[in-house]
């Protein structure tokens, strides 16, 4: 009997219709995701994006990318002089003739040719690769047309795993979107490390974010910012655009960079910020300050701090208190009630924003609150 059962399986397979066999062969011919591993990261890459990201040091083997999603795509809104905004998302282009990708032992590259039929408008090159302590992520835009091209939105969708069906199966996001000093990190709900930390590199910055249709951060956001403002959003940072010169002329290309690194805890996140050209900020007693009190803040960075600029100079007093180890110390007092922004100018034309809120003196606030409770109590 065992011999009969063993012989029956090949016989049944031989009698299968031809079409399913052809389909099986086609499926077998489809390329599998590229698996990469070093001492820090376990990655799977497919069609120019990361489809799985884990830490080699995580005992729970937590997946940081949402299952079925892609990390590494880009959303762009662009226009030519006198034209309307045109939108493109790289995830929708991977099955088209305008897309090509290649893999190497350290990562993958993708090339997208974005067209205004029948002519080319924009060439986008992406690179994701393992480094010794990080995942490097670079993005290159090049004007492929003979006239200037304005990039109104340049956004990175960040589809991280937020499913908590099982213990420690998902991750929580923490973010600070503030120019060149921006950063994001993701951690498990138990707060145990490692934390996946994303920072912009070099002259790249983040200036805007939105959660509609999935969380994403913006390098340029003039188009999205105008839409948000029309809907009542009061965003306080600048919404910029980029104009690329015509193909073949100086300024027809721009490159952006980012890094993903692991941090063991909050202090390690702070150290990564300094190592990657950002600023570690400490503030006491907090970002909400009564007008009769002062706040003190400390800045730690490997870059030179050129100045701290007040949004309302006539109603703000900023004093330098010298240094304490690696920290530069400052004291600030506000007299204009409401939002007050400080701009830190540092490094090579970099800037970061600190948003404070000034209230009336505490004694005044307590008396007003007490009067309200006494007058409205039933």
């Amino acid at each position: 009997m065992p011999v009969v059962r063993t012989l029956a399986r090949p016989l049944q397979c031989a009698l299968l219709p031809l079409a399913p066999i052809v389909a099986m062969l086609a499926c077998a011919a489809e390329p599998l995701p590229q698996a990469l591993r070093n001492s820090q990261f376990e990655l799977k890459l497919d069609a120019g994006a990361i489809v799985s990201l884990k830490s080699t040091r995580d005992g729970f083997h937590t997946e940081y990318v949402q299952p079925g999603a892609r990390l590494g795509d880009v959303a762009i809104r662009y226009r030519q002089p006198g034209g309307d905004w045109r939108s493109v998302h790289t995830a929708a282009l991977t099955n088209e003739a305008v897309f090509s990708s290649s893999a190497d032992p350290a990562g993958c590259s993708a090339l997208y040719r974005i067209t205004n039929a029948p002519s080319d408008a924009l060439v986008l090159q992406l690179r994701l690769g393992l480094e010794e302590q990080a995942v490097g992520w670079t993005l290159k835009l090049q004007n492929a047309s003979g006239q200037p091209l304005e990039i109104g939105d340049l956004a990175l969708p960040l589809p991280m795993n937020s499913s908590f069906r099982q213990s420690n199966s998902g991750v929580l996001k923490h973010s600070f979107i503030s120019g060149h000093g921006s950063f994001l990190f993701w951690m498990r709900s138990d707060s145990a490390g490692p934390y996946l930390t994303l920072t912009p590199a070099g002259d790249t910055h983040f200036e805007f974010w939105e959660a509609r249709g999935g969380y994403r951060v913006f390098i340029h956001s003039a188009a999205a910012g105008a839409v948000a403002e029309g809907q009542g959003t009061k965003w306080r940072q600048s919404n910029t655009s980029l104009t690329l010169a015509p193909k073949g002329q100086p300024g027809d290309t721009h490159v952006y960079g980012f890094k993903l690194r692991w941090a063991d805890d909050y202090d390690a996140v702070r150290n990564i910020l300094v190592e990657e050209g950002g600023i570690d900020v400490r503030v006491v007693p907090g970002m909400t300050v009564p007008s009769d009190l002062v706040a003190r803040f400390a800045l730690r960075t490997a870059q030179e701090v050129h100045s701290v600029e007040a949004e309302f100079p006539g109603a703000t007093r900023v004093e330098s208190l010298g240094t304490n180890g690696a920290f530069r110390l400052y004291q600030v007092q506000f007299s204009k009630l409401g939002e007050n922004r400080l701009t830190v100018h540092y490094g090579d034309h970099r800037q970061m924003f600190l948003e404070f809120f000034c209230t009336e003196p505490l004694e005044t606030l307590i008396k007003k609150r007490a009067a309200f409770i006494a007058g409205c109590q039933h």
Side-chain angles (χ1 to χ4, degrees), residues 12 43 69 82 88 93 104 111 124 170 181 202 252 259 262 296 304 326 334 345:
Q12 292 172 357
L43 299 181
V88 63
L93 301 178
D104 57 68
L111 178 69
L124 168 63
D252 71 341
K259 277 193 177 181
W262 295 115
R296 290 186 175 183
E304 181 182 357
F334 304 100
H345 299 276

Side-chain angles (χ1 to χ4, degrees), residues 286-345:
M287 305 297 285
T288 300
V289 188
S291 60
D292 61 337
L293 298 179
V294 300
R296 290 186 175 183
F297 59 97
L299 308 178
R300 180 168 66 104
T301 176
Q303 312 287 320
E304 181 182 357
V305 176
H306 304 297
S307 65
V308 178
E309 178 187 3
E311 182 179 9
F312 306 106
T316 309
R317 189 175 79 246
V318 181
E319 300 176 68
S320 173
L321 302 180
T323 61
N324 184 355
F327 289 93
R328 298 169 176 85
L329 307 179
Y330 298 86
Q331 179 172 286
V332 62
Q333 184 172 18
F334 304 100
S335 58
K336 182 183 185 304
L337 299 182
E339 294 172 313
N340 285 261
R341 181 176 60 241
L342 298 182
T343 303
V344 180
H345 299 276

Side-chain angles (χ1 to χ4, degrees), residues 30-243:
E30 292 181 0
L32 297 174
Q34 175 191 6
L36 295 176
R37 179 187 174 99
N38 64 8
S39 62
Q40 299 283 321
F41 287 89
E42 293 182 17
L43 299 181
K44 289 184 180 178
L45 302 104
D46 187 28
I50 298 173
V51 295
S52 175
L53 190 156
K54 300 177 181 179
S55 168
T56 57
R57 299 177 292 135
D58 180 7
F60 290 96
H61 220 52
T62 305
E63 173 61 71
Y64 281 75
V65 176
Q66 180 181 326
R70 295 161 45 90
L71 176 64
D73 281 312
V74 179
I76 303 173
R77 194 173 294 175
Y78 69 96
R79 66 184 175 187
Q80 293 174 325
D84 297 326
W85 291 118
R86 301 173 66 95
S87 299
V88 63
H89 195 302
T90 57
L93 301 178
T94 57
N95 294 322
E96 299 186 14
V98 297
F99 166 77
S100 62
S101 65
S102 61
D104 57 68
C108 70
S109 301
L111 178 69
Y112 300 87
R113 296 188 180 278
I114 300 167
T115 63
N116 284 343
S119 59
D120 289 344
L122 186 65
V123 175
L124 168 63
Q125 292 178 268
L126 296 173
R127 166 73 185 170
L128 292 160
L130 278 179
E131 301 173 3
E132 185 176 353
Q133 299 288 329
V135 173
W137 183 358
T138 59
L139 164 62
K140 178 180 178 181
L141 289 176
Q142 185 172 18
N143 191 349
S145 71
Q147 52 186 325
L149 193 70
E150 182 183 4
I151 308 298
D153 287 345
L154 183 61
L156 305 180
L158 299 173
M160 313 311 283
N161 183 16
S162 58
S163 172
F164 292 92
R165 295 178 181 177
Q166 299 176 351
S167 177
N168 295 315
S169 62
V171 293
L172 301 170
K173 173 186 63 65
H174 298 261
S175 62
F176 180 58
I177 305 304
S178 184
H180 297 88
S182 301
F183 66 91
L184 302 95
F185 69 90
W186 294 266
M187 58 190 290
R188 295 201 310 263
S189 58
D190 62 2
S191 299
Y195 305 162
L196 180 64
T197 307
L198 172 66
T199 56
D203 192 40
T204 304
H205 72 283
F206 295 140
E207 65 183 30
F208 186 65
W209 66 272
E210 65 179 17
R212 181 181 56 187
Y215 185 85
R216 54 185 182 173
V217 293
F218 287 75
I219 305 163
H220 299 293
S221 59
V227 173
E229 183 178 6
Q231 295 173 344
T233 298
K234 298 186 182 299
W235 184 250
R236 290 182 36 84
Q237 296 181 38
S238 297
N239 299 109
T240 69
S241 65
L242 169 73
T243 299

